[in-house]
Amino acid sequence: MTASTGRGLLHLAAALDLPGAYDPQPYTELVRLAERGALDFVTLGDSFGRPGPDALAVLARLAPVTGRVGLVPTVTTTHTEPFHLQAAVATLDWVSRGRAGWQAEVSQGEHEARLFGRRDAAPPEALWREAADVAEAATRLWDSWEDDAEIRDTSTGRFIDRDKLHYVDFQGATFSVKGPSIVPRSPQGHPVIVVDATDPHARDTAARYADVALVRAAGPAQSAALRTGLRTAAAAHGRDPDTLRVLAALAVDLGEGEYAAEPGHGGGGPRPSPYGPLYRGGPVDLAELIAAWHSSGAADGFHLTPVEPRRDLERLVNGTVPLLQHRGLFRTFYPGSTLREHLGLARPANRYALVGDPS
Amino acid sequence: MTSTHRGPGRARRRMHLAAHFPGVNNTTVWSDPRSGSQIDFASFEHLARTAEAGLFDFFFLAEGLRLREHNGRVHDLDVVGRPESITVLNALAAVTDRLGLAATVNATFNEPFELARRLATLDHLSGGRAGWNVVTSSDAFTGENFRRGGYLDRADRYTRAAEFVATARELWDSWPSSDEAPRPFVHQGRQFDIAGRFTVPRSPQGHPVVIQAGDSSDGREFAASSADVIFSRHGTLEGGRAFYTDVKDRLARYGRERDELKIMPGVTVVLGDTAAEAQERAAEIRHQQISPQNALHTLEQVWGVDLSGHDPDGPLPAFDPDPDSALVQGRVRLADPVTAAAKWRALSEEKGLSIRQTVIEATGRQSFIGTPEAVAAELVEFVDSDAADGFILVPHLTPAGLDGFVDRVVPLLQERGAFRTEYSGRTLRSHLGLKAPAGERATEPVSERVEDSVTERVGESVS
Ligand SMILES: Cc1cc2nc3c(=O)[nH]c(=O)nc-3n(C[C@H](O)[C@H](O)[C@H](O)COP(=O)(O)O)c2cc1C
């Protein structure tokens, strides 16, 4: 499997993380900025182990004050109930009218396990295997209602056609779920699944279930290699690799002047940092870097984590984005309304619906 | 009038009002052409904005964690399908300003750290408007959707719920204030053995408001010890009074005052321009709620056997019900179906009623039916005579079912001094006149709650 490149516009996403913010106001300002820049989606990280609000809640709070941008919270799979998780993510899709995603993550370590007291910490292989099970159960539950299950048929007195509701009967190593979901199939059918595939333990789960995989790479060659590997693995799982978007994940510090990329940051690429690869410089050079990586087939787009959110997101949206638009590499408006549409991904067929059903 | 003993100028005891989103149940009339979506956000927004325009205390969402089944198949006659509550309430926080936002969340199928965090987040994102209705349904049928892979014995449901709520409060209290560092928590109990640091700072209400819905003696005791509000099903004057006395009498045992727990029955209201018109409309609604199929279905719930051969317009079955039947799943069955069946048969024979007519008569819940003036007077009467501190209104229609109440009844309640004319506080706790939880610093004026409690004492001393 080789990388297919140059297929249309690149995708851009940004992290909304604001340490210490619990009030909706600063998040609202940032998400509106991201939407003004026509970004595909924003992410909000989450973990039980460090201070911060529930990410899915924050993005649900932002849904009514935005109209187009995708909303992707991290929801961890290790200590949660898969049934609740899928219902909450599907509900985010309902309240945002088709703009929800879910970044799957695992909770490692004894520290987080003690907050729940239900199980001991497990090694990352086991946690990611379980995350894959949660993704499998979630997607089955998202299909457990066919789209036209609600019939409101007054002649027979039936609100739903129960033949279009399905038990998922999922049996995993650590849990089982009966189904159907309590939530009808959401606007996107399946909210978009995002997995950070940098950690090799996460890679198989990403190849199998992710619509968007994030990779933290120090240079375009490494990113391209990761992308090719993920596409090959996706194909091995029976997927069309073109249904997987691979975004290069970069931390960005746009605090320098317009052109003042530090040596080795602009044309040369990002440097390793505690946040992963870090680009430090101006918005113009960042546009340069993004264009160069994209054209070399390193990634289908970028997920950018501003080091100083208010400042850097503003510079990204008002500086980098217009340059990429000017070059015809990035959209100038949202042609669709759902996150899947922004990403150029089809609405998934329902696995339980009868194929070729004439009715 | 019960209010004549109050001198002029003396404020009446104010009632509390909440709006129940008419989702999944057979109260909701989906066959009406005005019935909208039970899942689109626009429906939630409409009802919440209506409730806020009516100055309601809170908006309320019920919960079901497995689709109900009947005779081994998913029940298909009533509204099915709902969103996950806390997520919807977070979105509603963006389109409302003062309205309390209460979610029903089961204590059996959740964990304290995660839920305490989600509720504290909702409280932050809404500026102090979060409420949690703690329910305890704990059956194996629902348990099949969960990791726990099982369920609790009925006897243990409130043991877990009580420890759950206490643990959540320990977590909320572990941040002394929003700008002090959290203390590490350690909780070692029979249900939970957890330790660490809670990761959300003290929320605007300190503790989100805790509501309880459950009717057993254990449930009432749990409410008396731990809840701020009870959502009851005792909506008749007599039943309401008995329940009110029973529950309020339990409070002293926990060192609590009688007004620290608000009792709010779930009720329905049908309005008309005349009493006759309202009665006619109520009868029409009952017929829509109990379709011929629903009548047989309800009968099967009592009898516990398949009655599909029976004619809904014909007589009740001649045989006795099966008391041990598992025909119905995911819904509480009558405790004593044999006695219930005998009552239904007597009713049917006495009045010459068909199956459908019997079900309509026998399952009717207390409703307030009449002109806006009559309904307002009756609601006030309930509160004045200690049958309720307020009401959770359960409309028949999604999402416009409370429009008429807010337009026509709320102003009359306000004229009588029985309901607020503006929100004086910002938090749900303040709307309900509840004390700040111990350890919390007061963050806003306490005018409304002072006024309420003084009025109540005056009312008690006079009557
Ligand atoms: C008015 C009322 C509303 C209730 N709403 C719900 C609900 O939305 N979801 C739920 O799972 N249980 C609900 N219940 C069930 C109770 O939470 C409780 O678990 C059940 O009644 C068993 O407790 P009990 O034996 O004390 O009644 C409700 C009960 C009452 C009385």
Side-chain angles (χ1 to χ4, degrees):
Chain A
M1 182 61 45
T2 55
S4 80
T5 57
R7 295 175 314 95
L9 301 178
L10 64 87
H11 300 283
L12 286 180
L16 218 58
D17 303 83
L18 283 169
Y22 296 85
D23 209 84
Q25 197 49 40
Y27 294 104
T28 303
E29 285 162 22
L30 288 188
V31 76
R32 286 189 167 147
L33 193 55
E35 186 163 86
R36 199 142 53 69
L39 301 197
D40 292 70
F41 61 91
V42 295
T43 58
L44 188 58
D46 204 352
S47 150
F48 291 121
R50 62 175 151 76
D54 180 76
L56 190 139
V58 173
L59 295 187
R61 172 65 181 72
L62 299 181
V65 301
T66 51
R68 285 289 184 268
V69 69
L71 302 167
V72 183
T74 294
V75 187
T76 56
T77 59
T78 307
H79 299 295
T80 50
E81 290 286 356
F83 191 84
H84 290 324
L85 185 156
Q86 63 83 28
V89 174
T91 299
L92 183 62
D93 208 39
W94 277 107
V95 302
S96 65
R97 302 188 167 94
R99 297 184 283 132
W102 160 39
Q103 180 164 345
E105 255 301 345
V106 299
S107 302
Q108 301 194 34
E110 196 56 42
H111 165 55
E112 289 192 51
R114 286 293 290 131
L115 300 172
F116 284 78
R118 285 176 97 173
R119 55 200 298 208
D120 295 328
E125 305 86 88
L127 296 179
W128 277 108
R129 261 200 310 279
E130 182 181 57
D133 278 354
V134 174
E136 175 67 29
T139 52
R140 287 196 202 180
L141 286 160
W142 292 336
D143 282 344
S144 67
W145 289 61
E146 294 184 36
D147 289 319
D148 51 358
E150 185 181 314
I151 51 172
R152 296 190 181 225
D153 181 15
T154 44
S155 67
T156 59
R158 293 177 309 146
F159 182 81
I160 47 159
D161 177 353
R162 59 188 169 195
D163 293 334
K164 296 191 172 183
L165 262 53
H166 304 277
Y167 296 102
V168 306
D169 285 322
F170 179 80
Q171 294 283 342
T174 59
F175 68 92
S176 59
V177 174
K178 180 76 185 167
S181 180
I182 53 163
V183 188
R185 200 161 191 259
S186 72
Q188 294 186 102
H190 296 181
V192 168
I193 296 180
V194 179
V195 176
D196 186 333
T198 307
D199 177 352
H201 300 111
R203 231 165 265 164
D204 189 63
T205 302
R208 194 154 173 199
Y209 291 103
D211 300 293
V212 176
L214 308 181
V215 294
R216 276 172 276 153
Q222 190 192 357
S223 179
L226 284 167
R227 178 173 180 271
T228 303
L230 282 163
R231 290 170 57 89
T232 306
H237 282 296
R239 293 179 64 184
D240 171 359
D242 286 341
T243 63
L244 174 64
R245 302 281 171 269
V246 179
L247 307 189
L250 288 182
V252 295
D253 174 351
L254 302 180
E256 308 296 320
E258 288 294 294
Y259 291 92
E262 279 189 3
H265 277 261
R271 288 193 169 164
S273 86
Y275 320 98
L278 169 70
Y279 165 85
R280 180 179 287 145
V284 177
D285 278 332
L286 179 61
E288 200 65 49
L289 181 149
I290 286 174
W293 282 39
H294 183 59
S295 72
S296 71
D300 302 303
F302 290 79
H303 176 262
L304 305 170
T305 300
V307 168
E308 184 74 59
R310 284 177 196 84
R311 178 197 69 196
D312 293 337
L313 193 64
E314 198 269 329
R315 292 187 181 186
L316 177 73
V317 165
N318 293 327
T320 309
V321 164
L323 288 167
L324 294 169
Q325 289 168 331
H326 184 69
R327 292 182 176 212
L329 293 175
F330 188 61
R331 70 169 75 84
T332 53
F333 64 97
Y334 292 104
S337 58
T338 71
L339 175 53
R340 284 192 171 273
E341 286 167 344
H342 307 339
L343 290 165
L345 296 171
R347 191 171 188 273
N350 190 319
R351 80 195 65 197
Y352 297 107
L354 289 179
V355 181
D357 183 353
S359 62
Chain B
M1 283 307 290
T2 51
S3 59
T4 46
H5 62 275
R6 288 168 203 274
R10 214 174 240 172
R12 195 190 276 278
R13 198 169 122 206
R14 296 228 169 129
M15 71 175 66
H16 301 283
L17 292 175
H20 186 294
F21 184 84
V24 176
N25 57 48
N26 62 347
T27 309
T28 313
V29 174
W30 58 262
S31 55
D32 190 294
R34 291 165 299 174
S35 163
S37 171
Q38 84 290 359
I39 182 78
D40 283 342
F41 183 64
S43 290
F44 293 88
E45 186 171 349
H46 181 101
L47 192 80
R49 285 186 189 272
T50 306
E52 187 161 85
L55 306 174
F56 279 34
D57 294 69
F58 61 94
F59 174 93
F60 181 92
L61 288 170
E63 179 188 66
L65 296 174
R66 182 156 173 195
L67 302 187
R68 283 154 47 194
E69 287 184 8
H70 187 92
N71 214 356
R73 304 192 68 194
V74 172
H75 174 82
D76 60 358
L77 301 177
D78 302 330
V79 174
V80 192
R82 60 170 110 216
E84 189 274 314
S85 301
I86 296 181
T87 304
V88 170
L89 296 182
N90 278 301
L92 287 176
V95 297
T96 54
D97 188 35
R98 301 292 183 104
L99 185 68
L101 302 165
T104 299
V105 186
N106 201 298
T108 302
F109 302 109
N110 286 281
E111 297 298 319
F113 184 87
E114 184 185 17
L115 186 57
R117 182 170 179 267
R118 296 187 74 206
L119 291 165
T121 299
L122 175 63
D123 209 41
H124 277 285
L125 294 174
S126 64
R129 299 188 277 140
W132 169 28
N133 177 34
V134 186
V135 293
T136 58
S137 349
S138 55
D139 52 286
F141 173 76
T142 307
E144 283 188 298
N145 277 336
F146 293 96
R147 229 183 233 288
R148 181 175 294 283
Y151 58 104
L152 285 173
D153 280 344
R154 217 182 124 72
D156 293 332
R157 70 200 187 288
Y158 282 110
T159 315
R160 181 173 166 101
E163 193 177 323
F164 198 124
V165 172
T167 308
R169 286 180 171 147
E170 286 170 35
L171 299 177
W172 293 327
D173 282 343
S174 71
W175 290 72
S177 76
S178 58
D179 43 33
E180 284 169 82
R183 297 183 295 259
F185 68 85
V186 180
H187 175 97
Q188 279 176 301
R190 281 184 49 210
Q191 303 290 328
F192 311 107
D193 176 2
I194 63 176
R197 272 179 206 273
F198 190 57
T199 50
V200 181
R202 195 168 187 91
S203 71
Q205 292 188 108
H207 299 173
V209 168
V210 171
I211 305 168
Q212 187 269 356
D215 203 24
S216 59
S217 181
D218 284 352
R220 295 175 186 202
E221 205 61 33
F222 165 62
S225 72
S226 303
D228 301 308
V229 176
I230 289 191
F231 176 16
S232 95
R233 56 164 68 100
H234 299 279
T236 64
L237 192 59
E238 226 167 275
R241 271 185 182 147
F243 181 79
Y244 195 97
T245 306
D246 177 80
V247 171
K248 297 256 174 173
D249 284 351
R250 294 173 191 247
L251 286 163
R253 244 176 276 175
Y254 302 95
R256 303 181 71 198
E257 309 271 341
R258 290 177 87 80
D259 63 353
E260 285 181 48
L261 177 63
K262 308 295 175 189
I263 296 181
M264 300 177 70
V267 299
T268 63
V269 171
V270 183
L271 301 174
D273 290 336
T274 63
E277 189 193 306
Q279 286 296 344
E280 204 174 296
R281 195 169 284 169
E284 190 188 317
I285 290 167
R286 293 295 293 146
H287 271 83
Q288 288 173 306
Q289 287 169 332
I290 310 291
S291 65
Q293 299 87 346
N294 245 317
L296 271 190
H297 222 271
T298 309
L299 200 69
E300 288 177 344
Q301 287 176 11
V302 175
W303 256 257
V305 290
D306 188 334
L307 299 170
S308 45
H310 284 65
D311 176 5
D313 296 321
L316 293 180
F319 49 86
D320 282 336
D322 169 4
D324 305 316
S325 162
L327 186 90
V328 184
Q329 294 274 29
R331 159 168 253 199
V332 186
R333 194 167 174 244
L334 294 171
D336 181 5
V338 178
T339 308
K343 263 198 211 150
W344 285 27
R345 200 176 282 120
L347 177 73
S348 155
E349 279 164 12
E350 184 197 323
K351 299 196 179 177
L353 303 179
S354 69
I355 288 175
R356 188 177 180 199
Q357 289 163 333
T358 305
V359 173
I360 286 173
E361 285 244 340
T363 63
R365 281 208 249 160
Q366 162 65 21
S367 294
F368 293 85
I369 302 167
T371 61
E373 291 75 16
V375 167
E378 218 184 333
L379 292 174
V380 170
E381 157 96 32
F382 267 58
V383 173
D384 281 351
S385 53
D386 282 350
D389 293 310
F391 305 91
I392 296 182
L393 299 176
V394 187
H396 308 104
L397 281 178
T398 311
L402 287 182
D403 292 6
F405 184 90
V406 166
D407 289 346
R408 303 177 69 188
V409 180
V410 166
L412 298 174
L413 295 173
Q414 290 168 328
E415 269 171 34
R416 290 164 180 264
F419 190 61
R420 68 172 65 86
T421 51
E422 60 183 4
Y423 287 114
S424 58
R426 291 213 154 261
T427 66
L428 173 54
R429 214 162 257 288
S430 153
H431 304 338
L432 288 165
L434 295 169
K435 279 193 215 153
E440 187 194 37
R441 298 203 188 116
T443 52
E444 63 173 314
V446 291
S447 54
E448 184 165 11
R449 56 181 183 251
V450 171
E451 185 199 315
D452 274 6
S453 58
V454 168
T455 311
E456 191 157 353
R457 255 176 265 129
V458 170
E460 274 169 9
S461 64
V462 176
S463 53

